[in-house]
Amino acid sequence: ARTRTGEFPTPVLLLAGVTANFFFAALVMLIHYLSDFTQSFRIVRWLMGGLDITSYKTLISISPMIFIGFGVLMVFSRDLNVISTGIQSAISRGVEVVKVQKIGFIMASLLTGAVVALSGPIGFVGLIVPHIVRLMVGPDLRILLPASMFFGASFLIMCDTLARTIIAPTEIPVGIITAMLILLLLGGLVLF
């Protein structure tokens, strides 16, 4: 299913992503089904996404993974920039494309896994924020990576503040707010 250059075609990647999504969603449903009432409530709450961390100890426990993942991506940002211009171009400039792509994939997975394990899947922040930031600062990953991190954190803090104040003293899960804001933003862009 690979092309001559060793890449997977886009339809194959999309199908693999959809298949993996269904498989892991089924696993989550199985765990949810086997859980008692209290665990079930906690699972549903985690699936909505939130920043209601119980202690700084939990936050500190994922810090090494965040710093290592971000640091490694910054070290390889030049090579990743070259790869973004085209694989053949990167190979001709001496970039070990397969190695750099694997390292980038592993580090991005480490970062994503650590954050999602803590906060739950907060919708659209990791999907939309880097594209918005790319429009503001350009495609250079040496600038784009830290800018996305800070812009994403600022956006999430704003959404969490809304989530905590809209119907205070009850808190809406922040994942609901982020999804609604992003969908309103995208809807506005489509209309105009």
Side-chain angles (χ1 to χ4, degrees):
R2 290 183 180 209
T3 62
R4 290 184 322 182
T5 60
E7 298 175 351
F8 287 103
T10 303
V12 171
L13 288 175
L14 289 173
L15 186 57
V18 169
T19 303
N21 181 46
F22 281 126
F23 174 75
F24 289 111
L27 284 179
V28 168
M29 286 189 286
L30 176 65
I31 292 168
H32 194 181
Y33 178 75
L34 298 174
S35 301
D36 64 29
F37 182 74
T38 304
Q39 292 169 329
S40 181
F41 177 77
R42 290 177 65 196
I43 290 169
V44 170
R45 184 70 176 91
W46 178 83
L47 286 171
M48 291 181 193
L51 299 177
D52 48 352
I53 302 166
T54 56
S55 70
Y56 284 107
K57 182 180 176 185
T58 310
L59 187 60
I60 290 169
S61 70
I62 69 163
S63 295
M65 290 174 274
I66 301 298
F67 288 122
I68 289 169
F70 183 74
V72 171
L73 285 176
M74 288 303 293
V75 167
F76 284 95
S77 62
R78 182 199 155 278
D79 291 340
L80 290 167
N81 279 336
V82 175
I83 290 171
S84 70
T85 64
I87 290 176
Q88 295 303 324
S89 173
I91 290 170
S92 70
R93 292 184 180 164
V95 175
E96 296 179 55
V97 173
V98 174
K99 175 186 163 191
V100 173
Q101 284 178 328
K102 284 181 182 177
I103 290 170
F105 178 75
I106 290 168
M107 291 302 110
S109 298
L110 176 71
L111 287 166
T112 304
V115 172
V116 170
L118 182 66
S119 63
I122 298 175
F124 296 106
V125 175
L127 184 64
I128 301 297
V129 166
H131 296 292
I132 293 171
V133 174
R134 182 183 301 266
L135 293 173
M136 294 188 291
V137 301
D140 186 352
L141 291 173
R142 294 171 294 181
I143 299 168
L144 182 61
L145 287 172
S148 293
M149 184 176 74
F150 289 118
F151 186 83
S154 302
F155 175 73
L156 200 53
I157 289 168
M158 180 192 74
C159 290
D160 189 53
T161 303
L162 280 173
R164 292 173 190 260
T165 56
I166 289 177
I167 57 171
T170 304
E171 179 182 341
I172 300 170
V174 72
I176 294 171
I177 300 295
T178 59
M180 287 179 158
L181 284 176
I182 294 294
L183 289 175
L184 285 172
L185 174 70
L186 292 176
L189 291 174
V190 169
L191 290 176
F192 296 105

